[in-house]
Amino acid sequence: MADTTETPGIAVQSSFAADLLDRFRRSAEYVVIPLLALVFSGILFSIFLLTLGKSPADFFSLVWRGGFGTSFSWQNTLVRSAPFIFTALCVAVPARLGLVIIGGEGALVLGGFAAAAIAIPMVDWAPGFLLLGVMVIAAMLAGGLWIGCVGALRHYRGVNETIASLLMFYIAVSILNFFVEGALRDPSDPNKPSTRPIGSDNMIGAIPGTDVHWGLLTGVVLCGLLYLLMNRTTFGFAAQIAGGNLRAAQAQGLPVGRLVVVSCAIAGACAGLAGFFEVAAIHGKANASLIAGYGFTGILVSFLARHNPLVIIPVAIFLGGIAASGGLIQRRMDLPDATVLVLQGLLFLVILVSETFYGRFAIFRSKGGVL
Amino acid sequence: MSVTQFADPEFRAIGVETLGMTKVFASLTALDDVSIRVTPGSFHALLGENGAGKSTLVKCMMGFYQPTSGTMLVDDSEVEIPNPRAAHACGIGMVYQHFTLVPSLTAAENLVIARADTPAVIDWKSERRALNAFLETTPFKVPLDVQVSSLSAGEKQKLEILKQLYLDQRFLILDEPTSVLTPDEADEVLGLLRGMTEAGELTILMITHKFREVTAYADDVTVLRRGRVVDSGRVQDLSVEEMSRMMIGETEIRESAARVDQPEKALKLELAGLFADDDSELPAIEAISLKIHAGEILGIAGVSGNGQSELIEVLSGQRQPTDGRIFVDKQPYEPERDQMDRFKVFGFSEEPLKNVAVPNMSVAENMAFRTFDKAPISPFKGWLSPPPMRKRARELIAAYRVKTPSTEEPIENLSGGNVQRAILARELSHEVDILIVANPCFGLDFASVAEIRAQIMDQRNKGAAILLVSEDLDEILELADTVAVMSEGRVTYQSPMTETDRATIGHAMAGHH
Ligand SMILES: Nc1ncnc2c1ncn2[C@@H]1O[C@H](COP(=O)(O)OP(=O)(O)OP(=O)(O)O)[C@@H](O)[C@H]1O
Ligand SMILES: [Mg+2]
């Protein structure tokens, strides 16, 4: 029985190299499965186009041209991806705790509204940087409190966070409409009920040499920061424990309630920032244009990225490209604008289904892929 | 097994055989060329130390895993088992260590919905008649019309088996079926199964860590070690000594640590009038008051379901008490992280994947739950550094001999016993002042049991105050300095170990006081 030299299996000592290899193999799964899901939804969508009598090849080449083909389309794409990044973070951060927040759109709307509203009394006297600083804070606070409430309801009262955040989106829209059509309506704008503009001098400009506003860069930096928060801080680790097994978190004496509320508040602040950039860089005022569905696309982005903040960046740009090509597709292929929404919906469905395939493929587990 | 038996219409048991079963996970060969033969109508025991590959083998037989190579024969003809449904179709069923019943339904409802062909609209009257007719044919008696959640562990396990019989499975695989049962309940269940195998109605393949059950109930035994069959034979030809040698080879079994006298005994942990409700908001524990001194093991005995798990939950912060206080060193104590660290309170319980671990986090991460917010894993406040975390995990894996392919393996992929070891390593590798443990040896092989009990005794000898809840009276008798008995949520009996005996404690456990 002294066969300690080549014992199958058990005597495998966990060595540094083996651990490294194992980590690499495990991450491969997270690349391959989403890519397969993308391809599969592409095929499904092609079938959909064929039934309409349109050419899938035309469609995808137009998506390429409209989203990524020229430097103009690239800039268009990047402008559209900025809000996707922020609203995706609003999903990704609470997801670490096992929470599914789908009301980021509400925090975006309120954040944008808060930014525009706080600017009204300041526009006449405040210098630009002060105005924008106060607006940022107001937007993040509004969004943070909004989703923070969802977290508190969840933890202290057991209210389902998915439903609560969705319903609170409708409340946020009502709040916006109530003020924009009432007390805060700018009388000088007869067309669309809006708040008073912050003035073109105060608007956030573009990154030099481009038409892309600073929101994109802010979003990228924020993704990096939140990645660190989730993976390199004790806060992120504790959140992962609480999300994975509540009882285990309790047995470790972790402050679960605080983790939930703080994570949700951070998430809401991200969506609030999206609202801020919509107001300060695009519209210059708050009105119904804030409700553009970015919050809902953000859900798709976050799920596609498996709630990993770093992966959110390319995924948001990818979906930004699809969104940017919508106009071109409409003109060239005589398809309604909503066609890209069908594509998005299909993608989302396939991604959700593909979630069930993780851990099913032996190839990501075995040495060198040979069984 | 003769030809005439097959001709007998009552003889319905089937035989199963594996040929050269091999299963490779990552860098680890969990099964290596395993061939076992379970003859029809026999009671076959499968033995092996933690991580030997027992569960993997039966999961391959059930179609949960696909073997890397190897074939399976049912009644001597080769079969493909791509999934559990195929196994069921061949008449092979499995009962797990943990319950799979729906707690909010009644026993009868659980049986009916388990059927693969349950109609969309259930005609309860005729189902009930069919069910009663079926029950006539089995020796298992379970109350059918009460919610499963209010059945005792023994009744639940009987119902699990009944479910398999109701589905007409004639080959039953049992993976550590008795670890949640008291010895009496285990004897009842295994005795009934034994009767059915003798009558030729059933074949049993049972994984167990208890030699007593092997010698009392099994006909044949196969021993696995490190994924290989060491030996296989008739139980009557083997002694317990020989079987344990086969299981662990030449490995030394740790001697049980001697009890060192503790001269001065400072009061360490005091529970003062604790009350708490269970999940359905009925009183679960009432007026629990206990004192535990440094260097003392207080053992709480009792039939499971008498409030022990709620008490453990209150002490570990998983359940809010409705009244009462906890004191450590005479200061009020709340099970929050900073106080756990300050007072050096540690603990672990049975079913770690459910209670104290996060199944999909890695072994390294699970081992860092106590230390992730302290140096060196957290070099400065708030920051977390994975390399020291993995380094520490590698040390603990070596020191506690946890069998895992790597530090990055999700802990749920470890064998049952090795999950327990990993958690133990996390909780015992510190200076411990207070230790709260519940059924620490559930699902462990005998060598590990000896080792863990020795570790608990070590901590006591070093001066820790230990609260040990155990359903295994032998464990309490071996370890405890003081014994308390819980019955219906109250402590009904308490005595120093030197002044009591098994009979007195057993009497108190049965509810006579
Ligand atoms: N899904 C899996 N992925 C990777 N490794 C696994 C998986 N399942 C089991 N293993 C490994 O295979 C080995 C055998 O595990 P198995 O669960 O069969 O042991 P066991 O004999 O049932 O032990 P125990 O008595 O502790 O339950 C273990 O080392 C375990 O880590
Ligand atoms: Mg097992």
Side-chain angles (χ1 to χ4, degrees), chain A residues 1 7-10 14 19 22-23 26 232-234 237 240-241 244-245 247-248 250-253 365, chain B residues 26 51 225-226 313 316 318 337 340 353-355 357 370 372 382 384 390 394 403 406-409 426:
Chain A
M1 285 270 165
T7 39
I10 302 314
S14 95
D19 293 350
D22 213 39
R23 292 217 313 275
R26 272 166 217 294
R232 290 288 186 278
T233 68
T234 54
F237 194 78
Q240 200 184 353
I241 298 175
N245 183 351
R247 288 174 62 83
Q250 289 168 333
Q252 294 301 321
R365 301 274 171 273
Chain B
R225 179 151 184 256
R226 299 176 173 181
E313 286 171 349
S316 57
Q318 294 170 325
R337 198 163 177 85
M340 288 180 180
L353 289 181
K354 197 172 121 208
N355 292 313
R370 284 310 290 243
F372 74 88
L384 182 118
R390 293 194 198 103
R394 271 194 293 275
K403 290 163 192 166
S406 83
T407 55
E408 302 311 300
E409 190 74 16
R426 170 177 97 199

